[in-house]
Amino acid sequence: QVVPTYLLRVRTCLRGGRASPACRIAERERGMNRKYRKTLIAGNWKMNKTPTQTKAFMTELKGLLPKGRWCDIALCVPAVCIPAAVRAMRETRVAIGAENCSAHTAGAYTGEIAADMLVDAGCKYVILGHSERRAMGETDADVNAKLHTALDAGLIPIVCCGETLAQRESGVTEEWITMQIKLALAGVPEEKIRRIVIAYEPIWAIGTGETATPEQAEEVCQHIRTIIRKRFGSKNARAMTILYGGSMNEKNAFELLAQPDIDGGLIGGASLVPEKFVRIIEDANQPVG
Ligand code: 13P
């Protein structure tokens, strides 16, 4: 049975019998936006789980997945877990993704994995420019090169951006995000921009349990959409899926996902537990105006 989950969500949104003003506005705008772009709930497992554990997780997840199709679902897993994940989720709506790919198509790059290898293994998505990879030395130029390779191979890149706490406190968040997005998307032709997903992941909120408030997250996601609008036009900006990531969990997802410019989540820790991940998927079933 397809439970009209949104009714349950509306109830959680009620404050003393009335929806809060912020909630009502978010609902209305959400309803308008929903028509134009996809909601995506994506997990990023980082360096967690073995292939055996992947199989067990997927079996459990299959039993919990809601029947309704209000959002796309993806799990980006360690490279060695991709075959097990793809096999387990073949008959489901859960797409599998990778956490990185090479900027090169083939050759003498020991330890690297090419985008078309990921496609052949059954991946649909690839996370690029995660702050944890940037901390290992990945540059904006690397992210841009990988983005082009991923697009050419037919993958959907999930491009990450986000500021440090020091940058936020210095008031340079917008400038920093603008720079990261512009450099990551350099040379992307207009007809390809809709194949890209952007994830805003404030570094200070990753794995810390500290989440950006819905307002903070919305402000930056809205800013990202403005950057896209200026560079790729309003139709593309309206169609762009922008995710929030950074300690999104089953407790805070509903309010974050209610924001008009937040079209989904990129979830680390909470995507490792089937019940929590499913709760977030359910929270993406927002009331549409
Ligand atoms: P957490 O959800 O564990 O904070 O991780 C967020 C993240 O980095 C997703 O890519």
Side-chain angles (χ1 to χ4, degrees):
Q1 189 202 345
V2 181
V3 182
T5 325
Y6 75 92
L7 287 176
L8 301 175
R9 308 294 148 219
V10 170
R11 220 181 298 147
T12 65
C13 216
L14 293 177
R15 304 276 184 273
R18 289 175 50 230
S20 71
C23 188
R24 279 203 306 274
I25 292 165
E27 265 174 46
R28 199 174 58 236
E29 294 183 353
R30 183 85 205 163
M32 279 155 39
N33 292 334
R34 267 281 165 94
K35 290 201 284 280
Y36 299 112
R37 51 186 180 257
K38 283 186 173 175
T39 302
L40 170 65
I41 299 297
N44 172 12
W45 277 7
K46 310 190 178 186
M47 199 173 75
N48 289 294
K49 296 197 191 288
T50 63
T52 306
Q53 291 167 335
T54 301
K55 192 176 168 198
F57 175 97
M58 297 297 173
T59 306
E60 202 179 331
L61 180 66
K62 272 199 273 194
L64 297 172
L65 277 178
K67 299 270 188 302
R69 289 179 174 255
W70 49 82
C71 66
D72 288 350
I73 305 170
L75 279 165
C76 299
V77 302
V80 290
C81 299
I82 290 169
V86 168
R87 212 174 306 124
M89 301 318 258
R90 193 163 282 143
E91 305 295 325
T92 75
R93 50 194 286 246
V94 178
I96 302 304
E99 299 175 10
N100 181 34
C101 74
S102 171
H104 304 282
T105 49
Y109 303 100
T110 303
E112 292 290 286
I113 298 176
D116 65 355
M117 295 175 187
L118 296 175
V119 172
D120 193 66
C123 285
K124 182 172 175 185
Y125 294 91
V126 62
I127 297 172
L128 295 178
H130 193 281
S131 57
E132 288 154 16
R133 294 213 58 84
R134 292 179 190 257
M136 292 176 222
E138 199 165 289
T139 64
D140 288 307
D142 294 331
V143 177
N144 178 250
K146 290 177 180 201
L147 178 77
H148 285 283
T149 315
L151 284 173
D152 289 347
L155 288 167
I156 300 177
I158 302 176
V159 182
C160 302
C161 62
E163 80 288 3
T164 62
L165 188 58
Q167 287 167 332
R168 174 160 283 269
E169 287 174 351
S170 310
V172 297
T173 299
E174 287 202 353
E175 287 92 333
W176 179 256
I177 299 292
T178 304
M179 186 201 70
Q180 283 190 317
I181 297 293
K182 284 188 174 172
L183 291 174
L185 300 184
V188 172
E190 212 173 297
E191 66 275 12
K192 286 199 181 161
I193 189 66
R194 294 193 192 197
R195 286 198 59 82
I196 298 171
V197 172
I198 292 179
Y200 167 54
E201 300 208 310
I203 294 169
W204 49 271
I206 295 177
T208 56
E210 188 172 342
T211 324
T213 63
E215 293 72 25
Q216 284 172 324
E218 166 60 17
E219 194 179 21
V220 179
C221 290
Q222 192 182 76
H223 174 67
I224 293 170
R225 204 176 301 286
T226 304
I227 302 167
I228 302 298
R229 185 176 303 116
K230 286 185 184 157
R231 165 83 170 72
F232 297 96
S234 49
K235 277 195 183 154
N236 286 320
R238 205 168 57 182
M240 179 118 220
T241 296
I242 301 175
L243 313 179
Y244 169 78
S247 297
M248 185 186 270
N249 58 40
E250 71 289 359
K251 296 192 185 81
N252 58 30
F254 182 82
E255 279 202 283
L256 287 160
L257 296 170
Q259 299 301 312
D261 287 288
I262 300 179
D263 308 309
L266 184 56
I267 300 124
S271 75
L272 295 168
V273 183
E275 294 83 11
K276 292 186 181 180
F277 192 55
V278 165
R279 287 274 303 280
I280 298 171
I281 292 167
E282 286 171 346
D283 280 343
N285 186 15
Q286 297 275 332
V288 181

